[in-house]
Amino acid sequence: MDFVSTGGGSLVDNIFLLFNAYDWWVYYSKKEEKNLAKKEREEKMYDQAFEEILFSLDETPIYADSGGDQHNDGRDTNEFGADFETLQGLECLNMEQAKNLLNEHVDQLSSKLHISPSLAKLFLHLNEWNVSAIVTAYSKHTNAFLVDNRVKLAATAALGASAIPSAAACTDILPLSPSSSTSKSSTNASSPISCPVCTHPLPGDHFRSLTCGHSFCQYCWARHFEVQINQGITLDISCMASQCNILVPEALILTLLRPSLHEKYEAFAFRDFVSTHPSLRFCPGPNCSVVMRARESKPKRATCNACGTSFCFQCGIEYHAPTDCVVIKKWLTKCADDSETANYISAHTKDCPKCHICIEKNGGCNHMQCYHCKHEFCWMCLGDWKQHGSEYYECSRYKENPNIGRESAHAQAREALKKYLHYYERWENHAKSLKLESALVDKIKSRIHSKVMTSSGTWIDWQYLIEASTLLAKCRYTLQYTYPYAYYMQSSVSHYYTVISHIIPTGTWIDWQYLIEASTLLAKCRYTLQYTYPYAYYMQSSVSHYYTVISHIIQQYTYPYAYYMESSVSHSRKELFEYQQAQLEAEIENLSWKVERAETTDRGDLENQMDIAEKRRITLLKDFHLSSFSNPTKLDIPPQGGTTVPISTKDSSTASIQSEGEGVRSASMAPLSS
Amino acid sequence: MSALPRRIIKETQRLMQEPVPGISAVPDESNARYFHVIVTGPEDSPFEGGLFKLELFLPEDYPMSAPKVRFITKIYHPNIDRLGRICLDILKDKWSPALQIRTVLLSIQALLSAPNPDDPLANDVAELWKVNEVEAIRNAKEWTRKYAMEN
């Protein structure tokens, strides 16, 4: 079933339809009536997903006492986690450094090919800054290369540069040298020539031309550059002659452009250079001018040293593992659905098939040229316009017959909405929790601060702590009962913190550091979990991808289960995902619970919980995110839920997972029947 | 507005002295950058016999930026929409400062002779032009009679 925004407009009207957990449960059980075994499994899973809701009713941490024996190898998983999530070899460059880096490429190329830096810049910009590729292409077929890079006209290239392309031939094509620019006019330099653009008669030395030989006065060139630059065009400025696509190198632009615009030109050109450089990205942080450099462009986390903004290096949006770049963009657009904006965007815009910039068609024909990358494509089918010609017609016909059964479409839309809301509520909830918890870190810091400040000067005062913990135990008892309530009320929580910090001076900075660590980890886990929801939402539509992954596994393991699961291979993968997601949900809730109420320096329990949560997170990412950018044949994904979770290496913890699942399931019946 | 550039004066003079056959372009009395244009429908086209009014405006940046041209008379043409906007590459990304009012109007006249439904602006018109050219041409003739021949 395709849930991707069909009939999005009417969905909005239906949002008021009350969707509750019970509806959802009924929907899924009906859908799976035929397969009783599957239904059983699913009920269990979905019930686990209700933990979030149920937890507010049940104040006992569900997972509190599982496996106190596994917090030794926590370090390993953490390091491994950082390893595959964070983009390695990342550098933060300021504008100066980035410019230097680009200039290095330019110098390298210009000295290798004996061409001007300005021409080298053009070549680099058009060829993804790949110096060696340019050198190879240039030395193999110089003329073809020059024509492809819009430095030479196809015709004149054949005539002009003749047989032996050499360094001399190269300097020849430079438009700047006065000799080449005035070759025509030198014969009649005395008599004024009329510029074809402004019609003013001027002496010959006021004229400039590129390799194409189209000669215009320098004042018209300057105005041409000005108009283009004001439209944000820098490196794509071409000759003024009609149907001439020869590009103007930077050197000519800078000599003729009026000085007040130089800065603007340089800024725009720099922006364009960075955007065509495969290993450079602008930091998306507000007012941050840092350029990030990486060895590889992968959908991994990149963090800016200057402003702390963390983003996916590949697409520039917030880091979003395990969801991939295309899906998260879709999801974020969908989530903006509250207003009519998203509907409008989906109805009136499309992404450029080449550079993916969002384009609004506010008139004009279907033959589109992207303002950003100049790619020409068909608005209807998004295909390349060059190969388009006679096929165009098919594109416009496609629109005609979408009306097959309006009623079923409506029903589908409602179901799609239910599904969406289910995921959206969780997503939204995690986003909110994240916000609350980032505030929590600050609160903990200030709490520690006030504790140390009031510990009468001694840093380590364990005697005092014993007394304090007695008092604490008393306080905790009372507060324990107010906490589930307070969890959702930020104001009363902060009140509680300030009260406590006045009453109980205890511990040292170091003693309390673990709390900060814990809340950082909690934020990390919650972040990952937040991004599992868009992943899950689109999972069914990317069946084919998983099918290929799974089929590798079938080949490798010849897993008997897979034979009769053939038709629902992707389904079992989804089950595994949802199982792991639910597990992570549970651990996060537990950890959150513990972090918020940690009032002693006894860190063992909390560290244990941190380990469990982090391992769940790593497992999920390994199974579902890592697969998207590594060789699927290398993957080790046994296609069934319980057996894959690495932390269940010990029998006791496996048992606890199972029993916990059962416990939740029985507990969930209470709110459902009421 | 600053003084009229030499280029515009020259172009205007030439349009007056050697007008393009079938095209008249007269600058507005109050604004020399605004032209009242009349294009006669080309022979052997469905627009034959019609007189089509257009407006042409030379923006501040002209000739670095393209003139703005729009049909005022209603016309049934795959590359011209209901508001009279024209889908013509030289008015958009293929504009060159070396082009002139004259060349633009000639291109528009040529567009009337050779509609290009593969690059449509009015999708419904383009659709019909491809599916049923006979009917499309009949419509175009009817519109020409209805809107471009009234006196």
Side-chain angles (χ1 to χ4, degrees):
Chain A
M1 207 185 298
D2 185 13
F3 288 108
V4 188
S5 78
T6 27
S10 61
L11 294 189
V12 178
D13 305 332
N14 288 331
I15 278 184
F16 65 87
L17 288 172
L18 191 62
F19 164 62
N20 58 38
Y22 185 66
D23 274 349
W24 181 72
W25 179 77
V26 167
Y27 159 61
Y28 272 101
S29 16
K30 269 185 188 165
K31 192 179 159 201
E32 299 298 332
E33 260 169 357
K34 287 173 192 169
N35 191 334
L36 280 175
K38 194 181 278 176
K39 183 183 169 189
E40 283 277 296
R41 271 201 309 280
E42 291 205 347
E43 274 178 15
K44 199 166 101 186
M45 270 171 17
Y46 296 142
D47 286 349
Q48 278 176 1
F50 290 142
E51 280 169 358
E52 205 173 32
I53 304 157
L54 293 172
F55 197 67
S56 59
L57 304 171
D58 178 9
E59 71 204 20
T60 314
I62 296 165
Y63 213 163
D65 51 359
S66 70
D69 49 343
Q70 19 167 268
H71 68 85
N72 282 333
D73 45 354
R75 280 279 151 229
D76 304 339
T77 37
N78 278 342
E79 273 158 25
F80 177 66
D83 219 23
F84 80 90
E85 283 190 272
T86 311
L87 197 59
Q88 296 303 296
L90 202 68
E91 282 177 81
C92 288
L93 311 173
N94 61 29
M95 224 146 93
E96 210 52 47
Q97 290 168 318
K99 278 180 182 166
N100 289 342
L101 179 82
L102 295 175
N103 283 334
E104 273 173 35
H105 289 288
V106 174
D107 292 344
Q108 203 187 346
L109 186 67
S110 72
S111 63
K112 268 191 181 166
L113 298 185
H114 307 289
I115 56 175
S116 73
S118 142
L119 197 59
K121 267 188 193 176
L122 212 55
F123 288 163
L124 287 164
H125 175 64
L126 294 171
N127 295 281
E128 294 191 329
W129 296 80
N130 191 338
V131 175
S132 56
I134 296 171
V135 172
T136 322
Y138 183 86
S139 45
K140 262 191 182 169
H141 307 286
T142 308
N143 278 342
F145 181 80
L146 293 177
V147 170
D148 282 349
N149 285 282
R150 296 164 62 188
V151 167
K152 215 160 203 177
L153 285 182
T156 53
L159 295 169
S162 72
I164 310 153
S166 63
C170 278
T171 46
D172 244 349
I173 62 165
L174 283 179
L176 245 196
S177 57
S179 59
S180 72
S181 64
T182 54
S183 55
K184 244 187 200 173
S185 51
S186 59
T187 49
N188 50 357
S190 50
S191 60
I193 312 164
S194 175
C195 169
V197 169
C198 66
T199 69
H200 283 283
L202 289 163
D205 59 347
H206 285 255
F207 283 79
R208 291 284 196 285
S209 68
L210 303 177
T211 54
C212 51
H214 301 121
S215 188
F216 304 96
C217 80
Q218 60 189 61
Y219 312 105
C220 283
W221 277 118
R223 279 188 64 205
H224 176 57
F225 300 152
E226 207 171 296
V227 167
Q228 298 288 307
I229 290 164
N230 281 330
Q231 289 174 42
I233 301 167
T234 53
L235 301 152
D236 276 316
I237 299 178
S238 58
C239 172
M240 282 195 282
S242 178
Q243 305 196 323
C244 178
N245 71 346
I246 296 301
L247 292 172
V248 186
E250 183 185 272
L252 181 64
I253 295 174
L254 289 179
T255 20
L256 298 182
L257 191 66
R258 62 188 164 98
S260 57
L261 275 176
H262 281 205
E263 203 179 321
K264 200 172 188 176
Y265 174 81
E266 303 266 14
F268 283 161
F270 176 64
R271 182 202 60 193
D272 287 351
F273 283 141
V274 171
S275 69
T276 52
H277 198 297
S279 58
L280 294 182
R281 291 281 183 288
F282 278 111
C283 168
N287 297 322
C288 183
S289 61
V290 162
V291 176
M292 313 279 279
R293 182 196 188 190
R295 283 192 218 103
E296 43 178 15
S297 177
K298 285 195 168 169
K300 292 187 176 186
R301 184 199 287 274
T303 309
C304 172
N305 284 345
C307 70
T309 306
S310 190
F311 61 99
C312 165
F313 192 79
Q314 190 155 305
C315 66
I317 313 177
E318 273 179 83
Y319 179 63
H320 48 70
T323 311
D324 66 34
C325 299
V326 180
V327 174
I328 196 64
K329 198 177 174 192
K330 228 160 142 185
W331 173 259
L332 291 174
T333 313
K334 194 174 178 61
C335 288
D337 218 337
D338 279 353
S339 63
E340 286 294 297
T341 316
N343 286 333
Y344 183 86
I345 288 174
S346 65
H348 296 273
T349 75
K350 288 177 183 178
D351 289 353
C352 166
K354 196 174 166 205
C355 70
H356 303 293
I357 201 168
C358 191
I359 296 174
E360 179 189 13
K361 180 169 147 67
N362 54 6
C365 46
N366 286 332
H367 179 177
M368 302 295 286
Q369 189 190 35
C370 174
Y371 212 77
H372 186 241
C373 71
K374 303 283 174 188
H375 179 58
E376 290 185 35
F377 61 95
C378 166
W379 182 256
M380 297 306 290
C381 73
L382 298 178
D384 193 325
W385 191 263
K386 277 178 206 147
Q387 282 106 50
H388 220 260
S390 55
E391 293 154 50
Y392 170 74
Y393 200 47
E394 297 303 316
C395 315
S396 57
R397 183 172 290 179
Y398 181 68
K399 266 169 94 183
E400 284 196 343
N401 13 304
N403 284 342
I404 306 167
R406 289 221 161 183
E407 280 183 23
S408 73
H410 183 70
Q412 267 188 14
R414 268 178 78 155
E415 280 176 5
L417 180 67
K418 281 181 182 178
K419 181 185 171 185
Y420 170 67
L421 283 181
H422 166 75
Y423 288 113
Y424 184 75
E425 278 167 12
R426 278 150 186 79
W427 155 275
E428 184 66 8
N429 191 37
H430 283 297
K432 279 178 190 158
S433 301
L434 253 181
K435 271 187 194 161
L436 291 177
E437 276 161 10
S438 69
L440 182 66
V441 177
D442 294 335
K443 281 178 208 145
I444 289 169
K445 275 181 188 162
S446 69
R447 180 153 46 119
I448 292 170
H449 182 80
S450 55
K451 279 181 206 301
V452 172
M453 289 300 112
T454 49
S455 63
S456 24
T458 45
W459 280 90
I460 302 167
D461 197 350
W462 291 104
Q463 285 302 113
Y464 205 54
L465 191 63
I466 293 167
E467 263 179 64
S469 55
T470 324
L471 181 66
L472 179 68
K474 247 160 78 183
C475 289
R476 200 207 318 275
Y477 185 80
T478 316
L479 287 166
Q480 188 184 359
Y481 291 91
T482 64
Y483 226 87
Y485 200 81
Y487 179 73
Y488 297 99
M489 293 171 65
Q490 204 186 359
S491 55
S492 61
V493 169
S494 62
H495 170 71
Y496 156 71
Y497 282 137
T498 48
V499 169
I500 286 287
S501 62
H502 285 299
I503 301 173
I504 319 160
T506 173
T508 68
W509 286 100
I510 298 169
D511 292 335
W512 290 96
Q513 280 309 307
Y514 80 99
L515 250 186
I516 292 176
E517 280 170 35
S519 55
T520 317
L521 183 100
L522 178 63
K524 213 161 101 188
C525 288
R526 222 187 247 296
Y527 191 89
T528 303
L529 194 55
Q530 184 187 3
Y531 282 97
T532 61
Y533 280 100
Y535 188 84
Y537 178 75
Y538 288 109
M539 218 168 171
Q540 282 181 334
S541 46
S542 52
V543 159
S544 57
H545 168 67
Y546 297 110
Y547 190 82
T548 52
V549 174
I550 295 281
S551 59
H552 280 294
I553 295 159
I554 295 171
Q555 283 164 10
Q556 272 189 320
Y557 296 89
T558 56
Y559 194 66
Y561 185 60
Y563 281 108
Y564 62 87
M565 285 290 285
E566 176 72 13
S567 62
S568 53
V569 148
S570 66
H571 201 90
S572 74
R573 178 106 172 121
K574 192 176 162 101
E575 258 178 46
L576 171 61
F577 180 79
E578 285 181 337
Y579 174 76
Q580 292 191 3
Q581 188 185 39
Q583 295 297 320
L584 186 55
E585 278 278 4
E587 299 312 334
I588 293 258
E589 282 310 310
N590 292 340
L591 184 59
S592 168
W593 178 266
K594 284 178 182 171
V595 167
E596 292 222 4
R597 38 181 35 216
E599 285 299 332
T600 71
T601 47
D602 171 26
R603 62 181 73 182
D605 187 36
L606 196 68
E607 280 188 345
N608 183 36
Q609 186 61 46
M610 284 162 69
D611 265 3
I612 297 169
E614 179 66 0
K615 276 179 177 154
R616 294 277 190 216
R617 198 176 76 86
I618 297 289
T619 306
L620 191 143
L621 283 181
K622 262 170 75 186
D623 285 358
F624 291 92
H625 187 53
L626 211 57
S627 61
S628 63
F629 50 83
S630 65
N631 189 351
T633 50
K634 280 185 191 165
L635 278 180
D636 188 358
I637 311 168
Q640 205 178 25
T643 55
T644 65
V645 188
I647 63 161
S648 57
T649 43
K650 297 193 169 86
D651 288 346
S652 62
S653 60
T654 315
S656 78
I657 293 167
Q658 298 304 337
S659 62
E660 172 226 324
E662 292 301 316
V664 170
R665 192 185 158 203
S666 55
S668 73
M669 296 316 287
L672 290 181
S673 55
S674 67
Chain B
M1 192 177 284
S2 57
L4 210 56
R6 183 185 157 95
R7 152 96 183 229
I8 294 179
I9 297 169
K10 284 261 173 195
E11 276 202 65
T12 311
Q13 281 172 357
R14 198 169 158 224
L15 278 170
M16 296 294 140
Q17 285 158 12
E18 330 160 20
V20 192
I23 296 172
S24 94
V26 183
D28 190 84
E29 283 169 11
S30 61
N31 188 342
R33 287 176 176 268
Y34 186 93
F35 288 76
H36 301 274
V37 179
I38 293 173
V39 174
T40 52
E43 279 175 35
D44 302 323
S45 81
F47 311 102
E48 188 176 353
L51 290 177
F52 296 90
K53 276 188 209 161
L54 292 90
E55 58 176 359
L56 183 148
F57 182 72
L58 304 176
E60 183 70 32
D61 286 333
Y62 181 82
M64 302 307 154
S65 301
K68 303 192 181 305
V69 195
R70 189 176 76 91
F71 269 83
I72 293 174
T73 307
K74 271 172 77 94
I75 182 166
Y76 193 88
H77 191 286
N79 309 103
I80 300 160
D81 75 0
R82 258 171 291 164
L83 298 174
R85 295 178 300 190
I86 307 160
C87 184
L88 190 60
D89 55 358
I90 60 157
L91 291 177
K92 293 173 186 168
D93 52 289
K94 295 283 166 21
W95 170 253
S96 147
L99 293 169
Q100 301 174 17
I101 300 174
R102 171 183 300 269
T103 42
V104 167
L105 294 178
L106 277 168
S107 297
I108 290 171
Q109 201 179 33
L111 192 65
L112 295 188
S113 295
N116 178 12
D118 283 340
D119 201 354
L121 183 53
N123 262 324
D124 48 336
V125 179
E127 187 79 20
L128 189 65
W129 215 282
K130 288 209 135 186
V131 181
N132 189 346
E133 198 178 336
V134 177
E135 195 189 329
I137 288 175
R138 199 168 55 230
N139 284 346
K141 280 182 178 163
E142 197 185 311
W143 280 42
T144 305
R145 196 167 50 246
K146 224 160 137 187
Y147 302 109
M149 288 186 188
E150 65 196 60
N151 281 318

